[in-house]
Amino acid sequence: MASFGWKRKIGEKVSKATSQQFEAEAADDKDLADDDDANWVHATKRRKEILLEDCAKKSKELKDEGASLAENRRYREAILKWDEALQLTPEDATLYEMKSQVLMSLHEMFPAVHAAEMAVQRNPRSWDAWQTLGRAQLGLGEIALAIRSFQVSLHIFPMNPEVWKEDLSWARKLHEQQKATKTEAVQVLAKEKELAQESIPDYDFESDEIVAVCAAIAEKEKALSAAKTVVIVSASGTVETVTEKENCPTTPDETLFIRAR
């Protein structure tokens, strides 16, 4: 029969000093691991900051190049530069605002409005972005929207004389002209409709003048019907025109060859 004895605990023979040394080494390893993690996070953050700085620097270079091209009226090339810059700094409202101005110079109003709206979305406090948006909307014929955009621009920067004296004043003048044109068009349409709906005049068919005319026509018709003209051609070839009355018909003689009416 097998006998069972008490099992020693694992690590019973490990001395206290060895155990303490092991715990100290483990703590050092943990500290090193924590330091490595902190260093890795810091390094990653620093690399990201450097990348953003590089992107901002490159974007500024492209923005300046585009501005120089736009001043020389090389608008298409300027837009390409600014599009490259937007790939690096997509939240730069100034790039969209400059792009909108160039698109207006190219008479591309729909893209100009879109670019200006992007600028306003990224920086709603930019008075010049709202001004550019108003000008683009004005070029598109959206006068009411343009007036609102100019008003927002003035609300942000009330002392801007350009927006007050030029942009908003011109937009309001166009708005008044538009209202006057619409009113005139409505009046013309109403007049044409009124003329089209006018009834035929009610003539007095029993007036003395009309009765007299009808009587004269009837007498003339009666006289024509009372007298008939007959053309007689004899055998010898003689042509004779005879007028016969209804009550006294003319009887041709035996020499009649052809009788024609």
Side-chain angles (χ1 to χ4, degrees):
M1 183 177 179
S3 60
F4 294 91
W6 177 72
K7 295 181 180 179
R8 288 198 304 264
K9 294 182 180 179
I10 298 175
E12 183 180 355
K13 291 184 178 182
V14 179
S15 64
K16 184 177 182 181
T18 304
S19 177
Q20 291 175 350
Q21 182 180 0
F22 175 77
E23 291 176 356
E25 291 176 354
D28 292 339
D29 292 340
K30 183 178 181 182
D31 292 338
L32 289 173
D34 292 341
D35 291 340
D36 291 339
D37 291 340
N39 291 334
W40 180 82
V41 172
H42 179 72
T44 303
K45 184 177 180 181
R46 182 55 186 163
R47 283 196 296 270
K48 185 177 180 180
E49 291 175 354
I50 293 173
L51 180 61
L52 291 176
E53 291 174 0
D54 291 341
C55 289
K57 183 179 179 181
K58 181 63 176 176
S59 177
K60 187 178 183 306
E61 292 176 359
L62 292 169
K63 181 193 294 185
D64 294 340
E65 291 177 12
S68 178
L69 291 169
E71 290 177 358
N72 294 320
R73 298 181 181 275
R74 297 165 63 180
Y75 298 133
R76 296 294 181 186
E77 297 176 59
I79 290 175
L80 292 177
K81 292 293 182 182
W82 291 334
D83 285 339
E84 290 182 39
L86 284 170
Q87 295 297 323
L88 300 173
T89 54
E91 298 302 317
D92 191 342
T94 307
L95 288 169
Y96 284 106
E97 191 269 333
M98 295 168 68
K99 183 178 178 180
S100 178
Q101 291 188 51
V102 169
L103 288 169
M104 279 190 284
S105 298
L106 293 171
H107 303 287
E108 297 182 9
M109 294 305 173
F110 280 104
V113 170
H114 177 69
E117 288 175 344
M118 297 293 285
V120 168
Q121 289 176 9
R122 278 151 180 75
N123 188 7
R125 300 296 302 171
S126 174
W127 65 266
D128 49 352
W130 281 103
Q131 181 188 25
T132 301
L133 176 59
R135 290 178 175 179
Q137 290 168 334
L138 202 61
L140 200 60
E142 297 292 345
I143 301 176
L145 293 178
I147 291 175
R148 178 185 177 277
S149 297
F150 292 141
Q151 289 173 341
V152 174
S153 179
L154 280 174
H155 179 75
I156 298 171
F157 184 22
M159 302 305 295
N160 188 345
E162 185 180 19
V163 177
W164 181 262
K165 295 180 180 179
E166 297 180 13
D167 296 317
L168 187 57
S169 176
W170 175 244
R172 284 176 173 172
K173 183 177 180 181
L174 290 177
H175 187 59
E176 292 298 325
Q177 292 178 355
Q178 186 183 53
K179 287 172 60 177
T181 302
K182 287 183 178 179
T183 302
E184 184 179 354
V186 170
Q187 291 176 351
V188 170
L189 289 175
K191 188 174 181 179
E192 291 179 352
K193 185 177 180 181
E194 183 180 354
L195 291 174
Q197 291 179 349
E198 285 184 357
S199 59
I200 300 174
D202 187 13
Y203 294 105
D204 185 8
F205 291 99
E206 296 182 358
S207 63
D208 295 338
E209 292 82 359
I210 295 178
V211 171
V213 170
C214 293
I217 294 173
E219 289 295 331
K220 186 176 180 180
E221 291 291 335
K222 184 177 179 182
L224 290 175
S225 62
K228 296 182 180 179
T229 302
V230 178
V231 179
I232 299 174
V233 181
S234 63
S236 61
T238 302
V239 178
E240 183 181 359
T241 302
V242 179
T243 302
E244 59 180 356
K245 303 293 184 179
E246 285 185 342
N247 298 331
C248 302
T250 302
T251 304
D253 54 11
E254 290 78 5
T255 62
L256 180 63
F257 180 68
I258 297 174
R259 181 174 179 177
R261 293 182 182 274

